[in-house]
Amino acid sequence: ISAVTFITAASFLAQQQIPFGGHMVAAMALMESPAVVVGVVLARYFGGRPDETARRIAWPELLRDSFLNGSVFLLIGSMFVGGLAGEAGNEAMRPLTEDLFKGLLAFFLLDMGIIAAGRARALRRSGAFLLAFAIVVPLFNAGVGLGLAKLAGMGEGDALMFTILCASASYIAVPAAVRIAIPEANPTLYISTALAVTFPFNIVIGIPLYMGLIRAWWG
Protein backbone atom coordinates (compact mmCIF):
# COMPACT_ATOMS: atom_id res chain seq x y z
CA ILE A 1 0.00 0.00 0.00
CA SER A 2 1.01 3.62 -0.46
CA ALA A 3 0.44 5.86 2.56
CA VAL A 4 0.91 8.99 0.43
CA THR A 5 -1.78 7.87 -2.02
CA PHE A 6 -4.04 7.11 0.95
CA ILE A 7 -3.45 10.59 2.41
CA THR A 8 -4.12 12.21 -0.97
CA ALA A 9 -7.41 10.31 -1.22
CA ALA A 10 -8.30 11.52 2.28
CA SER A 11 -7.69 15.11 1.16
CA PHE A 12 -9.83 14.48 -1.94
CA LEU A 13 -12.70 13.22 0.20
CA ALA A 14 -12.37 16.23 2.50
CA GLN A 15 -12.72 18.56 -0.49
CA GLN A 16 -15.79 16.61 -1.65
CA GLN A 17 -17.16 16.68 1.94
CA ILE A 18 -17.49 12.89 1.94
CA PRO A 19 -16.80 11.32 5.36
CA PHE A 20 -14.84 8.12 5.95
CA GLY A 21 -14.14 6.11 9.08
CA GLY A 22 -10.94 6.45 11.05
CA HIS A 23 -10.69 2.66 11.12
CA MET A 24 -9.43 2.81 7.53
CA VAL A 25 -6.12 4.07 8.94
CA ALA A 26 -5.90 0.82 10.89
CA ALA A 27 -6.61 -1.08 7.68
CA MET A 28 -3.71 0.78 6.05
CA ALA A 29 -1.36 -0.28 8.84
CA LEU A 30 -2.53 -3.90 8.77
CA MET A 31 -2.41 -4.41 4.98
CA GLU A 32 1.28 -3.59 4.47
CA SER A 33 2.93 -6.50 6.30
CA PRO A 34 0.90 -9.35 4.71
CA ALA A 35 1.74 -7.87 1.30
CA VAL A 36 5.45 -8.39 1.96
CA VAL A 37 4.91 -12.00 3.01
CA VAL A 38 2.71 -12.82 0.00
CA GLY A 39 5.15 -11.14 -2.40
CA VAL A 40 8.13 -13.09 -1.10
CA VAL A 41 6.23 -16.39 -1.19
CA LEU A 42 5.15 -15.74 -4.79
CA ALA A 43 8.71 -14.87 -5.79
CA ARG A 44 10.09 -18.01 -4.15
CA TYR A 45 7.59 -20.42 -5.74
CA PHE A 46 7.07 -18.78 -9.15
CA GLY A 47 10.35 -16.94 -9.70
CA GLY A 48 11.73 -19.30 -12.30
CA ARG A 49 13.99 -21.22 -9.88
CA PRO A 50 12.27 -24.56 -9.16
CA ASP A 51 15.00 -26.05 -6.96
CA GLU A 52 14.22 -26.58 -3.28
CA THR A 53 17.04 -24.30 -2.12
CA ALA A 54 15.58 -21.33 -3.96
CA ARG A 55 12.13 -22.04 -2.51
CA ARG A 56 13.39 -22.11 1.06
CA ILE A 57 12.08 -19.13 3.03
CA ALA A 58 13.72 -17.79 6.17
CA TRP A 59 10.43 -17.23 7.98
CA PRO A 60 11.78 -15.60 11.19
CA GLU A 61 13.67 -12.95 9.22
CA LEU A 62 10.80 -12.45 6.77
CA LEU A 63 8.20 -11.98 9.51
CA ARG A 64 10.48 -9.64 11.44
CA ASP A 65 11.15 -7.45 8.40
CA SER A 66 7.45 -7.50 7.46
CA PHE A 67 5.79 -6.78 10.80
CA LEU A 68 8.51 -4.89 12.68
CA ASN A 69 9.70 -2.42 10.03
CA GLY A 70 9.75 1.28 10.78
CA SER A 71 6.72 2.35 8.74
CA VAL A 72 4.41 -0.23 10.38
CA PHE A 73 5.69 0.81 13.81
CA LEU A 74 5.06 4.44 12.90
CA LEU A 75 1.49 3.81 11.75
CA ILE A 76 0.51 1.62 14.69
CA GLY A 77 2.33 3.89 17.15
CA SER A 78 0.48 6.92 15.76
CA MET A 79 -2.84 5.21 16.38
CA PHE A 80 -1.87 4.40 19.97
CA VAL A 81 -0.73 7.99 20.56
CA GLY A 82 -3.96 9.32 19.07
CA GLY A 83 -6.02 7.01 21.25
CA LEU A 84 -4.18 8.05 24.40
CA ALA A 85 -4.21 11.78 23.55
CA GLY A 86 -7.94 11.81 22.82
CA GLU A 87 -9.83 14.89 21.71
CA ALA A 88 -7.50 17.25 23.60
CA GLY A 89 -4.54 15.93 21.62
CA ASN A 90 -6.51 16.25 18.41
CA GLU A 91 -7.25 19.91 19.12
CA ALA A 92 -3.57 20.58 19.88
CA MET A 93 -2.50 19.03 16.57
CA ARG A 94 -5.30 20.57 14.50
CA PRO A 95 -3.17 23.42 13.07
CA LEU A 96 -0.80 20.83 11.57
CA THR A 97 -3.22 18.04 10.67
CA GLU A 98 -5.92 20.27 9.16
CA ASP A 99 -4.88 23.89 8.61
CA LEU A 100 -1.40 23.22 7.17
CA PHE A 101 -2.09 19.75 5.85
CA LYS A 102 -2.97 20.67 2.26
CA GLY A 103 0.11 22.85 1.87
CA LEU A 104 2.41 20.16 3.29
CA LEU A 105 0.79 17.55 1.05
CA ALA A 106 1.28 19.74 -2.03
CA PHE A 107 5.00 20.16 -1.30
CA PHE A 108 5.39 16.45 -0.61
CA LEU A 109 3.65 15.50 -3.87
CA LEU A 110 5.89 17.91 -5.78
CA ASP A 111 8.94 16.29 -4.21
CA MET A 112 7.59 12.83 -5.08
CA GLY A 113 7.03 14.04 -8.63
CA ILE A 114 10.66 15.07 -8.94
CA ILE A 115 11.82 11.67 -7.65
CA ALA A 116 9.37 9.87 -9.96
CA ALA A 117 10.64 11.83 -12.97
CA GLY A 118 14.18 10.74 -12.14
CA ARG A 119 13.08 7.13 -11.81
CA ALA A 120 11.19 7.25 -15.10
CA ARG A 121 14.47 7.21 -17.02
CA ALA A 122 15.24 3.74 -15.70
CA LEU A 123 11.92 2.44 -17.06
CA ARG A 124 12.83 3.14 -20.67
CA ARG A 125 14.93 -0.02 -20.76
CA SER A 126 12.30 -2.23 -19.11
CA GLY A 127 9.91 -2.52 -22.05
CA ALA A 128 6.19 -2.00 -22.51
CA PHE A 129 5.11 -5.07 -20.51
CA LEU A 130 6.33 -3.72 -17.17
CA LEU A 131 4.73 -0.33 -17.80
CA ALA A 132 1.41 -1.97 -18.67
CA PHE A 133 1.69 -4.27 -15.64
CA ALA A 134 2.10 -1.26 -13.32
CA ILE A 135 -1.25 0.11 -14.55
CA VAL A 136 -3.34 -2.97 -15.34
CA VAL A 137 -2.71 -4.76 -12.03
CA PRO A 138 -3.70 -1.72 -9.89
CA LEU A 139 -6.89 -1.41 -11.96
CA PHE A 140 -7.63 -5.12 -11.42
CA ASN A 141 -6.94 -4.82 -7.69
CA ALA A 142 -9.16 -1.73 -7.55
CA GLY A 143 -11.98 -3.73 -9.13
CA VAL A 144 -11.57 -6.44 -6.50
CA GLY A 145 -11.51 -3.78 -3.78
CA LEU A 146 -14.69 -2.17 -5.10
CA GLY A 147 -16.47 -5.53 -5.12
CA LEU A 148 -15.39 -6.33 -1.57
CA ALA A 149 -16.37 -2.85 -0.38
CA LYS A 150 -19.83 -3.26 -1.91
CA LEU A 151 -20.27 -6.70 -0.32
CA ALA A 152 -19.17 -5.33 3.06
CA GLY A 153 -21.72 -2.51 2.85
CA MET A 154 -19.13 0.29 3.12
CA GLY A 155 -20.11 3.89 2.58
CA GLU A 156 -18.73 5.87 -0.34
CA GLY A 157 -15.81 7.34 1.61
CA ASP A 158 -14.72 4.04 3.15
CA ALA A 159 -15.10 2.32 -0.21
CA LEU A 160 -12.75 4.80 -1.89
CA MET A 161 -10.13 4.50 0.85
CA PHE A 162 -10.25 0.70 0.75
CA THR A 163 -10.06 0.69 -3.05
CA ILE A 164 -7.04 2.99 -2.96
CA LEU A 165 -5.32 0.67 -0.50
CA CYS A 166 -5.96 -2.26 -2.84
CA ALA A 167 -4.80 -0.39 -5.95
CA SER A 168 -1.70 1.38 -4.63
CA ALA A 169 1.89 0.12 -4.44
CA SER A 170 4.50 0.68 -1.76
CA TYR A 171 7.77 2.34 -2.72
CA ILE A 172 9.31 2.78 0.76
CA ALA A 173 8.60 0.06 3.33
CA VAL A 174 7.95 -2.96 1.11
CA PRO A 175 10.97 -2.40 -1.19
CA ALA A 176 13.19 -2.20 1.89
CA ALA A 177 11.95 -5.60 3.09
CA VAL A 178 12.03 -7.12 -0.39
CA ARG A 179 15.63 -6.01 -0.90
CA ILE A 180 16.59 -8.19 2.09
CA ALA A 181 14.28 -11.13 1.43
CA ILE A 182 14.76 -11.29 -2.38
CA PRO A 183 18.27 -9.95 -3.02
CA GLU A 184 18.24 -11.18 -6.63
CA ALA A 185 15.35 -8.85 -7.50
CA ASN A 186 16.19 -5.67 -9.39
CA PRO A 187 15.18 -2.65 -7.25
CA THR A 188 15.37 -0.37 -10.28
CA LEU A 189 12.34 -2.16 -11.70
CA TYR A 190 10.06 -2.58 -8.69
CA ILE A 191 10.76 0.81 -7.12
CA SER A 192 10.57 2.68 -10.43
CA THR A 193 7.27 1.12 -11.48
CA ALA A 194 5.67 1.74 -8.08
CA LEU A 195 6.91 5.32 -7.82
CA ALA A 196 7.01 6.54 -11.42
CA VAL A 197 3.98 4.72 -12.88
CA THR A 198 1.48 3.36 -10.32
CA PHE A 199 1.76 6.28 -7.89
CA PRO A 200 1.08 9.14 -10.37
CA PHE A 201 -1.55 7.04 -12.17
CA ASN A 202 -3.54 6.59 -8.97
CA ILE A 203 -3.15 10.24 -7.98
CA VAL A 204 -4.12 11.78 -11.33
CA ILE A 205 -6.51 9.21 -12.82
CA GLY A 206 -7.24 6.52 -10.24
CA ILE A 207 -8.81 8.52 -7.40
CA PRO A 208 -11.41 10.36 -9.54
CA LEU A 209 -12.01 7.20 -11.61
CA TYR A 210 -12.66 5.02 -8.55
CA MET A 211 -14.87 7.70 -7.00
CA GLY A 212 -16.91 7.93 -10.19
CA LEU A 213 -17.39 4.16 -10.26
CA ILE A 214 -18.40 4.15 -6.59
CA ARG A 215 -20.99 6.90 -7.12
CA ALA A 216 -22.42 5.09 -10.13
CA TRP A 217 -22.51 1.67 -8.43
CA TRP A 218 -23.65 2.92 -5.02
CA GLY A 219 -26.40 4.97 -6.66
Side-chain angles (χ1 to χ4, degrees), residues 152-165:
M154 295 184 185
E156 290 186 355
D158 289 343
L160 178 66
M161 301 307 278
F162 181 70
T163 301
I164 281 294
L165 288 174

PDB file of all heavy atoms in Angstrom, residues 152-165:
ATOM      1  N   ALA A 152     -19.272  -5.649   1.628  1.00  0.00           N
ATOM      2  CA  ALA A 152     -19.168  -5.328   3.057  1.00  0.00           C
ATOM      3  C   ALA A 152     -20.111  -4.208   3.472  1.00  0.00           C
ATOM      4  O   ALA A 152     -20.208  -3.896   4.659  1.00  0.00           O
ATOM      5  CB  ALA A 152     -17.724  -4.943   3.394  1.00  0.00           C
ATOM      6  N   GLY A 153     -20.784  -3.576   2.527  1.00  0.00           N
ATOM      7  CA  GLY A 153     -21.717  -2.507   2.854  1.00  0.00           C
ATOM      8  C   GLY A 153     -21.038  -1.208   3.270  1.00  0.00           C
ATOM      9  O   GLY A 153     -21.599  -0.449   4.069  1.00  0.00           O
ATOM     10  N   MET A 154     -19.838  -0.946   2.759  1.00  0.00           N
ATOM     11  CA  MET A 154     -19.130   0.287   3.115  1.00  0.00           C
ATOM     12  C   MET A 154     -19.809   1.494   2.486  1.00  0.00           C
ATOM     13  O   MET A 154     -20.433   1.410   1.426  1.00  0.00           O
ATOM     14  CB  MET A 154     -17.677   0.230   2.622  1.00  0.00           C
ATOM     15  CG  MET A 154     -16.822  -0.826   3.268  1.00  0.00           C
ATOM     16  SD  MET A 154     -15.098  -0.713   2.686  1.00  0.00           S
ATOM     17  CE  MET A 154     -14.387  -2.147   3.478  1.00  0.00           C
ATOM     18  N   GLY A 155     -19.663   2.640   3.152  1.00  0.00           N
ATOM     19  CA  GLY A 155     -20.109   3.892   2.576  1.00  0.00           C
ATOM     20  C   GLY A 155     -19.172   4.338   1.474  1.00  0.00           C
ATOM     21  O   GLY A 155     -18.110   3.742   1.253  1.00  0.00           O
ATOM     22  N   GLU A 156     -19.527   5.419   0.791  1.00  0.00           N
ATOM     23  CA  GLU A 156     -18.728   5.874  -0.345  1.00  0.00           C
ATOM     24  C   GLU A 156     -17.301   6.225   0.064  1.00  0.00           C
ATOM     25  O   GLU A 156     -16.337   5.868  -0.621  1.00  0.00           O
ATOM     26  CB  GLU A 156     -19.400   7.079  -1.007  1.00  0.00           C
ATOM     27  CG  GLU A 156     -20.680   6.749  -1.741  1.00  0.00           C
ATOM     28  CD  GLU A 156     -21.224   7.948  -2.504  1.00  0.00           C
ATOM     29  OE1 GLU A 156     -20.650   9.040  -2.383  1.00  0.00           O
ATOM     30  OE2 GLU A 156     -22.214   7.777  -3.224  1.00  0.00           O
ATOM     31  N   GLY A 157     -17.141   6.935   1.178  1.00  0.00           N
ATOM     32  CA  GLY A 157     -15.812   7.340   1.614  1.00  0.00           C
ATOM     33  C   GLY A 157     -14.943   6.158   1.977  1.00  0.00           C
ATOM     34  O   GLY A 157     -13.780   6.058   1.538  1.00  0.00           O
ATOM     35  N   ASP A 158     -15.474   5.231   2.777  1.00  0.00           N
ATOM     36  CA  ASP A 158     -14.718   4.039   3.151  1.00  0.00           C
ATOM     37  C   ASP A 158     -14.388   3.189   1.931  1.00  0.00           C
ATOM     38  O   ASP A 158     -13.298   2.606   1.833  1.00  0.00           O
ATOM     39  CB  ASP A 158     -15.510   3.206   4.158  1.00  0.00           C
ATOM     40  CG  ASP A 158     -15.580   3.859   5.526  1.00  0.00           C
ATOM     41  OD1 ASP A 158     -14.775   4.762   5.795  1.00  0.00           O
ATOM     42  OD2 ASP A 158     -16.452   3.459   6.328  1.00  0.00           O
ATOM     43  N   ALA A 159     -15.329   3.113   0.997  1.00  0.00           N
ATOM     44  CA  ALA A 159     -15.102   2.317  -0.210  1.00  0.00           C
ATOM     45  C   ALA A 159     -13.934   2.879  -1.020  1.00  0.00           C
ATOM     46  O   ALA A 159     -13.097   2.123  -1.532  1.00  0.00           O
ATOM     47  CB  ALA A 159     -16.365   2.273  -1.066  1.00  0.00           C
ATOM     48  N   LEU A 160     -13.861   4.201  -1.139  1.00  0.00           N
ATOM     49  CA  LEU A 160     -12.746   4.797  -1.886  1.00  0.00           C
ATOM     50  C   LEU A 160     -11.421   4.528  -1.188  1.00  0.00           C
ATOM     51  O   LEU A 160     -10.432   4.158  -1.836  1.00  0.00           O
ATOM     52  CB  LEU A 160     -12.960   6.298  -2.053  1.00  0.00           C
ATOM     53  CG  LEU A 160     -11.809   7.009  -2.785  1.00  0.00           C
ATOM     54  CD1 LEU A 160     -11.721   6.542  -4.233  1.00  0.00           C
ATOM     55  CD2 LEU A 160     -11.962   8.523  -2.728  1.00  0.00           C
ATOM     56  N   MET A 161     -11.381   4.705   0.123  1.00  0.00           N
ATOM     57  CA  MET A 161     -10.130   4.499   0.849  1.00  0.00           C
ATOM     58  C   MET A 161      -9.675   3.046   0.755  1.00  0.00           C
ATOM     59  O   MET A 161      -8.484   2.768   0.571  1.00  0.00           O
ATOM     60  CB  MET A 161     -10.301   4.905   2.312  1.00  0.00           C
ATOM     61  CG  MET A 161     -10.712   6.352   2.513  1.00  0.00           C
ATOM     62  SD  MET A 161      -9.625   7.519   1.674  1.00  0.00           S
ATOM     63  CE  MET A 161      -8.285   7.645   2.845  1.00  0.00           C
ATOM     64  N   PHE A 162     -10.608   2.101   0.856  1.00  0.00           N
ATOM     65  CA  PHE A 162     -10.249   0.698   0.750  1.00  0.00           C
ATOM     66  C   PHE A 162      -9.779   0.367  -0.668  1.00  0.00           C
ATOM     67  O   PHE A 162      -8.806  -0.385  -0.858  1.00  0.00           O
ATOM     68  CB  PHE A 162     -11.438  -0.183   1.132  1.00  0.00           C
ATOM     69  CG  PHE A 162     -11.147  -1.649   1.082  1.00  0.00           C
ATOM     70  CD1 PHE A 162     -10.293  -2.244   2.009  1.00  0.00           C
ATOM     71  CD2 PHE A 162     -11.718  -2.449   0.106  1.00  0.00           C
ATOM     72  CE1 PHE A 162     -10.017  -3.596   1.957  1.00  0.00           C
ATOM     73  CE2 PHE A 162     -11.449  -3.804   0.053  1.00  0.00           C
ATOM     74  CZ  PHE A 162     -10.596  -4.382   0.978  1.00  0.00           C
ATOM     75  N   THR A 163     -10.451   0.928  -1.666  1.00  0.00           N
ATOM     76  CA  THR A 163     -10.059   0.689  -3.055  1.00  0.00           C
ATOM     77  C   THR A 163      -8.664   1.231  -3.331  1.00  0.00           C
ATOM     78  O   THR A 163      -7.854   0.592  -4.020  1.00  0.00           O
ATOM     79  CB  THR A 163     -11.079   1.331  -4.005  1.00  0.00           C
ATOM     80  OG1 THR A 163     -12.376   0.780  -3.758  1.00  0.00           O
ATOM     81  CG2 THR A 163     -10.711   1.086  -5.463  1.00  0.00           C
ATOM     82  N   ILE A 164      -8.366   2.406  -2.788  1.00  0.00           N
ATOM     83  CA  ILE A 164      -7.041   2.993  -2.963  1.00  0.00           C
ATOM     84  C   ILE A 164      -5.978   2.116  -2.316  1.00  0.00           C
ATOM     85  O   ILE A 164      -4.880   1.920  -2.865  1.00  0.00           O
ATOM     86  CB  ILE A 164      -7.009   4.422  -2.382  1.00  0.00           C
ATOM     87  CG1 ILE A 164      -7.651   5.398  -3.360  1.00  0.00           C
ATOM     88  CG2 ILE A 164      -5.597   4.872  -2.047  1.00  0.00           C
ATOM     89  CD1 ILE A 164      -6.877   5.556  -4.670  1.00  0.00           C
ATOM     90  N   LEU A 165      -6.274   1.569  -1.149  1.00  0.00           N
ATOM     91  CA  LEU A 165      -5.321   0.671  -0.499  1.00  0.00           C
ATOM     92  C   LEU A 165      -5.073  -0.566  -1.358  1.00  0.00           C
ATOM     93  O   LEU A 165      -3.937  -1.046  -1.458  1.00  0.00           O
ATOM     94  CB  LEU A 165      -5.844   0.252   0.874  1.00  0.00           C
ATOM     95  CG  LEU A 165      -5.826   1.331   1.961  1.00  0.00           C
ATOM     96  CD1 LEU A 165      -6.497   0.821   3.223  1.00  0.00           C
ATOM     97  CD2 LEU A 165      -4.402   1.775   2.267  1.00  0.00           C
TER      98      LEU A 165
END
